[in-house]
Amino acid sequence: MNSILTPHFLVDNGRVRPRFENARIGNEIADHIAAELAPLGLVPDGPAFERIFVDAVLAGQPDPDQAWIAFYASTLRRLRRPDRAGTGCVATFGRIYAHVLSLIRGATVLDVGCCFGFLPLLAAERNPRLRVAGTDLVPSAAALAGRIARSQGNGARFAAADLLALPFAARAADTVLAVHVLEHLPAGASARALAQLCRVARRRVVVAVPLEETPDPTFGHRQDFDLPRLAAIGDIPGWSHAAYAADGGWLVLDRTAHSPIG
C-alpha cells in the first residue's frame, strides 16, 4: 500500500501513524478512525480500533499522563453540555449520558463496562452525595479512570470486573448501568449478562445499545439489537421492563414487589 494522508492519520505501508497536533482532541478520535481508516480496511476489529485510538491520544502530548488528562478534559467539557443536534460520538454520547443520569434511582450506582469512565465521573460530579462505582473488563482502563478521578477530586471509584461474573453481592447497588456494553458480548450471552445486572441491582437496571442491522466490527460489536430483541431479553421474573428508542435502544428494568430475594 502506498502512503496515504488523511486529515488525521498517515498510513505508510499499512502502518497507521496519528498526526494530531491539537492537545484538546477528545473522544471524537473514534469518529476520525471510523470515517478515515475503516474504509481502508485498517480497522478490522475492536483490538485494532483500540490500538489506533490509544496511539492517537498519546500523539497529542509528549508526556502520556498529560495526554490522557488533556483527552479527558476536552471530552468531559463537551459531554457536560451535549450538542442536541450533533451527530458525532461526543455529541451522541453526551445525550445518552444525560438521559442515563435522569434514570438513576437511589443513592448507589454501578456502571458496568464503563470504558474510560466518563459516565461515572459525570454522575459523581453532578451529585457528590451519590456513591458511584465503575467497572471495566480491561484493568488498564479501570486504572486510568481511577487516576483521573483522583486527580479531579471526583468521588467515583473504579475496578476491573467481568460483566458475566460480577464480584458484588446481591442488591449491592440501587441502580446498575450497562451503556453500550451488550453489543460487545458474544451472541447468546445477553441473558447471562442481564441475570448478573439484575442480581446486583436493588432497584433498577438501565441498558443502552446501538440499534444495528448487523454488528459493526470497527467498534468490536459482536451482536446486533432491535427493539423487539431488546425487550425480549428484559422479560425476567420479578422485574418490569420498558424498551424504547432514543439515540439507540434502551431497556429499563425495575424490581417488583414479588421479586426473589437473590
Side-chain angles (χ1 to χ4, degrees), residues 113-257:
C114 67
C115 191
F116 288 118
F118 297 135
L119 181 52
L121 291 169
L122 291 169
E125 180 183 277
R126 177 180 175 181
N127 184 355
R129 291 177 296 180
L130 278 179
R131 296 195 302 277
V132 182
T135 69
D136 197 82
L137 181 63
V138 180
S140 59
L144 173 62
R147 292 198 301 273
I148 294 296
R150 290 189 293 274
S151 73
Q152 296 180 350
N154 187 292
R157 296 294 178 262
F158 297 89
D162 184 350
L163 166 56
L164 299 178
L166 291 173
F168 303 105
R171 307 195 186 198
D174 290 317
T175 298
V176 176
L177 313 172
V179 179
H180 283 237
V181 179
L182 295 191
E183 66 271 18
H184 296 277
L185 299 178
S190 297
R192 290 171 56 202
L194 260 293
Q196 283 290 299
L197 297 172
C198 290
R199 179 184 65 81
V200 174
R202 183 178 299 111
R203 295 179 58 179
R204 171 168 282 188
V205 172
V206 178
V207 173
V209 296
L211 297 177
E212 301 175 304
E213 293 185 1
T214 58
D216 188 341
T218 300
F219 300 107
H221 297 178
R222 302 173 69 182
Q223 58 177 329
D224 56 85
F225 290 91
D226 56 21
L227 284 183
R229 183 175 176 213
L230 192 58
I233 65 172
D235 189 11
I236 300 173
W239 292 81
S240 63
H241 68 277
Y244 56 92
D247 278 312
W250 294 82
L251 177 66
V252 180
L253 301 98
D254 287 300
R255 192 181 286 273
T256 66

Side-chain angles (χ1 to χ4, degrees), residues 87-105:
T87 58
C89 69
V90 176
T92 300
F93 273 94
R95 295 191 298 269
I96 289 171
Y97 292 159
H99 188 54
V100 173
L101 294 177
S102 75
L103 295 172
I104 289 173
R105 298 293 182 268

